[in-house]
């Protein structure tokens, strides 16, 4: 793949990320923000501190702040995913651009979010000890890096085992190895249970479910949009003029036969 194609795919990936961020933003606003408000209300009701006025209003946080964060996230990770598609295209099997984009999107969701999420799930305000914030943040990003590296290793392992075991058995073996490695990481990395007493379990569960839904919406939308754009770029359908020219060339070749 030449540099022009890579650049074109990068631009399309960022545009697809922007487009995918729009439905994800709607989900975040409709499902996530009400739970954030509930968590803030709990925090304010049980806080013994009476600080001054907040620097950024809650309305600004839930509108402009949320929109900026989700849209920037979509554009940035859309570009990264597009580069991953450039690397994966033709190297993970005989998949076209659309299928490769779908597989990369699924891998990004699983390795980049689901695996770290099940170890260190998202928390609303009022959940989590402020004194362990730095440690929790570091461990979360460590889990993300481990998950991505292990997923890449599983793909490489599957490719090397395929000639001896066949594609199906190699895929199963690589998947089992990935699950075992992730399980060991789960076992050895520390866990945190810092939900304050009396915090509504329903709010916590619904917030985490909303965060999961946002990511699923983002990556599913990205896979569909970017797959379409990548296929139009790398495997365009013949136009009517091309079909007429091809038909004419075939007829001419047939007429020239002795």
């Amino acid at each position: 793949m030449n540099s022009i194609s890579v650049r074109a795919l990068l631009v399309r990936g960022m545009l697809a990320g922007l487009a995918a961020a729009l439905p994800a933003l709607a989900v975040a606003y409709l499902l996530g923000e009400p739970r954030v408000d509930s968590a803030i209300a709990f925090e304010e009701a049980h806080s013994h501190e009476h600080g001054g006025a907040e620097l950024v209003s809650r309305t600004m946080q839930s509108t402009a702040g949320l929109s900026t964060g989700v849209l920037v996230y979509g554009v940035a990770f859309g570009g990264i995913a597009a580069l991953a598609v450039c690397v994966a295209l033709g190297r993970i099997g005989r998949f076209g651009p659309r299928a490769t984009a779908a597989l990369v999107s699924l891998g990004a969701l699983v390795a980049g979010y689901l695996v770290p999420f099940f170890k260190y799930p998202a928390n609303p305000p009022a959940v989590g000890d402020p004194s362990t914030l730095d440690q929790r943040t570091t461990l979360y990003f460590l889990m993300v890096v481990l998950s991505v590296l292990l997923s890449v290793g599983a793909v490489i392992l599957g490719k090397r085992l395929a000639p001896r075991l066949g594609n199906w058995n190699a895929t199963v073996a690589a998947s089992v190895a990935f699950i075992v490695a992730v399980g060991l990481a789960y076992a050895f990395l520390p866990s945190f249970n810092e939900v304050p007493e009396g915090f509504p379990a329903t709010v916590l569960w619904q917030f985490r479910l909303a965060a999961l839904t946002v990511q699923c919406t983002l990556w599913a939308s990205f896979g569909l949009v970017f797959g379409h754009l990548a296929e139009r770029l790398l495997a365009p359908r013949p136009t009517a003029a091309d079909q007429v020219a091809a038909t004419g060339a075939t007829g001419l070749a047939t007429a020239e036969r002795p």
Side-chain angles (χ1 to χ4, degrees), residues 109 113-114 117-118 207-217:
L109 175 64
Y113 188 78
L114 289 182
F117 175 85
F118 288 127
F207 176 85
R208 290 175 174 174
L209 185 60
L212 181 60
T213 305
V214 169
Q215 291 292 327
C216 291
T217 302

Side-chain angles (χ1 to χ4, degrees), residues 99-112:
T100 303
L103 290 174
V104 168
S105 299
L106 179 61
L109 175 64
V110 173

Side-chain angles (χ1 to χ4, degrees), residues 52-134:
E54 55 187 3
L55 297 178
V56 181
S57 66
R58 175 66 190 134
T59 302
M60 183 66 69
Q61 293 175 9
S62 62
T63 53
L66 177 65
S67 300
T68 301
V70 174
L71 294 178
V72 170
Y73 181 94
V75 172
F77 279 90
I80 295 173
L83 295 177
V85 170
C86 293
V87 175
L89 192 61
R91 293 184 173 91
I92 58 174
R94 297 179 179 179
F95 299 106
R98 190 186 295 267
T100 303
L103 290 174
V104 168
S105 299
L106 179 61
L109 175 64
V110 173
Y113 188 78
L114 289 182
V115 171
F117 175 85
F118 288 127
K119 177 63 178 178
Y120 301 113
N123 288 326
V127 175
D129 187 350
S131 64
T132 63
L133 177 61
D134 292 340

Side-chain angles (χ1 to χ4, degrees), residues 62-234:
S62 62
T63 53
L66 177 65
S67 300
T68 301
V70 174
L71 294 178
V72 170
Y73 181 94
V75 172
F77 279 90
I80 295 173
L83 295 177
V85 170
C86 293
V87 175
L89 192 61
R91 293 184 173 91
I92 58 174
R94 297 179 179 179
F95 299 106
R98 190 186 295 267
T100 303
L103 290 174
V104 168
S105 299
L106 179 61
L109 175 64
V110 173
Y113 188 78
L114 289 182
V115 171
F117 175 85
F118 288 127
K119 177 63 178 178
Y120 301 113
N123 288 326
V127 175
D129 187 350
S131 64
T132 63
L133 177 61
D134 292 340
Q135 183 183 8
R136 286 185 283 119
T137 302
T138 301
L139 288 172
Y140 176 80
F141 283 108
L142 175 61
M143 192 69 235
V144 172
V145 173
L146 283 175
S147 177
V148 172
L149 292 178
L150 289 174
S151 63
V152 172
V155 172
I156 296 174
L157 177 63
K159 293 286 290 183
R160 292 187 176 181
L161 292 178
R164 288 182 293 173
L165 302 180
N167 290 333
W168 176 260
N169 291 331
T171 301
V172 172
S175 300
V176 171
F178 175 76
I179 293 172
V180 171
V182 169
L184 291 174
Y186 278 13
F188 285 101
L189 290 176
S191 300
F192 299 91
N193 184 16
E194 299 174 346
V195 181
E197 184 179 355
F199 189 88
T202 302
V203 173
L204 179 61
W205 166 249
Q206 290 178 345
F207 176 85
R208 290 175 174 174
L209 185 60
L212 181 60
T213 305
V214 169
Q215 291 292 327
C216 291
T217 302
L218 176 71
W219 287 110
S221 302
F222 175 81
L224 293 173
V225 175
F226 182 67
H228 173 71
L229 296 178
E231 188 168 82
R232 288 189 60 183
L233 174 68
L234 301 177

